[in-house]
Amino acid sequence: QGLWCMSRRAVLARSLAVLTLPQGLLPRARAAEFTTTAGGARRSSGDGDPHRLAVPELAPGSRRLYLCRHGETDWNVAGRVQGMTDIPLNPNGRSQAAALAAILADVPIGLVASSALGRASSTADAVAAQHPGARRLVDARFNEMNFGSLEGEELRGGSPRREEYEARLAEWEAGRTSVRLPGGGESPEEVAARALKGLRELGALPPLAAAAGGAGVPSCPRHVCLVAHGRFNKILLAALRGDVS
């Protein structure tokens, strides 16, 4: 589930990936065209706030996706798996959301999208408040991975279900990414499919038809912020590189 820290620098380093998306669907052969800045994103210098994000100028024909994770919840602190369970931000998480919003305040964001789960949508609302002209979108396709019967469990240390979870991780690492989590959970392939479909319908990625010479790219702002979840974000990053394992 990942860890959060109260400092703004740590919020940036642990919760924000800045993605430059060329026009195309990014199969393996084109993965070199996909650039990621995670944690090492340049910060403002000189007289500006050193905690505000500064990134290189966006090249023509590209869009930039600011992929963020939600703030802390009580279940994060307890080490419990959240998945699709709707757990709200705790006071620390609300402070982290405000810190993330401040980091992104100078970015020309035109669209703030989020998961439909409260911890992500509340974090996104904090970002959107800094960008009153941006469109706000909530989409369940950006929800966290469904962890099935593992939701609510603590998987730290000697947890009796940790071995079961690690067995699934081993399956995925071996390339068997269609294997689902127990008790009605999702597979990485299912999460990747809904995530990419959501981005295509936003226009952040071209629709599949465009890759075959079909319809063009839907209208979409060039700077898009997406607030989602730890495992979801990892799977999306892998899928954009052409490998969900």
Side-chain angles (χ1 to χ4, degrees):
Q1 292 289 317
L3 299 175
W4 277 74
C5 179
M6 275 299 293
S7 76
R8 288 185 179 181
R9 287 184 183 272
V11 169
L12 177 62
R14 296 179 181 228
S15 67
L16 172 65
V18 181
L19 320 176
T20 300
L21 305 176
Q23 291 185 347
L25 294 178
L26 302 168
R28 288 176 188 269
R30 298 190 59 208
E33 300 179 31
F34 171 72
T35 59
T36 307
T37 303
R42 295 191 299 110
R43 297 168 179 84
S44 301
S45 59
D47 296 332
D49 184 342
H51 298 120
R52 292 199 177 192
L53 185 68
V55 292
E57 184 177 349
L58 192 56
S62 295
R63 291 183 175 85
R64 187 161 284 148
L65 177 65
Y66 303 83
L67 182 61
C68 309
R69 180 180 178 270
H70 62 80
E72 183 187 82
T73 72
D74 287 342
W75 278 26
N76 289 138
V77 176
R80 298 176 68 184
V81 176
Q82 296 181 111
M84 297 282 276
T85 307
D86 201 357
I87 307 300
L89 296 178
N90 63 20
N92 191 37
R94 291 192 290 272
S95 294
Q96 292 164 349
L100 180 64
I103 286 168
L104 295 173
D106 293 337
V107 176
I109 293 172
L111 171 63
V112 180
S114 76
S115 153
L117 297 173
R119 57 191 184 272
S121 62
S122 295
T123 304
D125 287 343
V127 174
Q130 296 286 337
H131 302 275
R135 183 160 62 101
R136 180 74 177 89
L137 176 76
V138 176
D139 192 328
R141 287 175 295 191
F142 302 138
N143 283 6
E144 177 62 297
M145 186 178 207
N146 186 334
F147 277 74
S149 60
L150 293 176
E151 294 192 9
E153 298 284 344
E154 295 184 21
L155 299 182
R156 295 173 176 170
S159 165
R161 302 208 62 185
R162 183 174 180 83
E163 185 175 337
E164 185 178 8
Y165 177 56
E166 288 183 343
R168 291 301 198 281
L169 293 179
E171 294 268 17
W172 300 342
E173 289 170 1
R176 293 183 284 275
T177 51
S178 63
V179 174
R180 292 176 171 173
L181 287 166
E186 287 182 291
S187 71
E189 289 184 6
E190 290 170 320
V191 175
R194 61 177 166 86
L196 293 175
K197 184 176 181 181
L199 286 179
R200 290 188 191 106
E201 291 190 9
L202 283 181
L205 288 176
L208 286 173
V217 180
S219 176
C220 178
R222 298 188 70 207
H223 295 264
V224 176
C225 176
L226 172 58
V227 182
H229 306 266
R231 179 61 61 179
F232 173 94
N233 287 356
K234 291 174 183 177
I235 292 172
L236 175 56
L237 286 169
L240 287 168
R241 291 184 180 276
D243 182 2
V244 297
S245 62

